[in-house]
Amino acid sequence: MHTHSHGAEGGHAHSHTHTHDPEHVKSVLNRISRAIGHLESIKRMVEDGRDCSEVLIQLSAVKAAINNTGKVILQDHIAHCLVDAVETGDMETIEELNKAIDRFIK
């Protein structure tokens, strides 16, 4: 078990404790590491003066990878954190999820 602190507007922080499957955590970290590596290669493309269209195509691929990583995190959050919040009547956690989804989807 570990605690997540979710920052909210106004400086208020809310924490809840739950368990994440280590394989899920490893999968998310691998996805993030691949996106970071991809961004580093795009940075080198820009430094090397590569064609703007190629750079934009690669940026699009990173955006898609980040969005997919967000979906994986969101699915896990709904399956675990949200279920716990509904069962315990934790409306604050539910509201924080709504805010996070709103920001993620923009």
Side-chain angles (χ1 to χ4, degrees):
M1 280 225 190
H2 59 277
T3 301
H4 289 273
S5 293
H6 299 278
E9 289 178 25
H12 173 75
H14 172 74
S15 298
H16 61 277
T17 304
H18 61 276
T19 303
H20 281 288
D21 172 34
E23 287 299 314
H24 173 76
V25 172
K26 184 178 177 183
S27 172
V28 169
L29 291 173
N30 285 340
R31 286 170 176 266
I32 291 169
S33 293
R34 282 195 303 271
I36 290 168
H38 201 159
L39 275 174
E40 289 291 342
S41 72
I42 295 169
K43 181 180 174 188
R44 286 190 298 276
M45 288 175 69
V46 172
E47 289 169 346
D48 294 343
R50 296 279 294 274
D51 181 69
C52 292
S53 296
E54 292 178 42
V55 172
L56 288 171
I57 289 167
Q58 294 306 312
L59 281 173
S60 175
V62 172
K63 281 174 50 177
I66 290 170
N67 283 338
N68 287 331
T69 302
K71 287 178 193 175
V72 167
I73 292 169
L74 183 56
Q75 288 166 347
D76 182 69
H77 189 60
I78 289 169
H80 297 100
C81 310
L82 190 60
V83 169
D84 292 344
V86 170
E87 288 175 352
T88 62
D90 183 358
M91 296 308 294
E92 187 176 357
T93 295
I94 294 168
E95 182 57 31
E96 286 177 4
L97 176 60
N98 282 327
K99 288 178 185 175
I101 291 170
D102 187 50
R103 287 183 180 176
F104 180 72
I105 292 177
K106 282 184 183 177

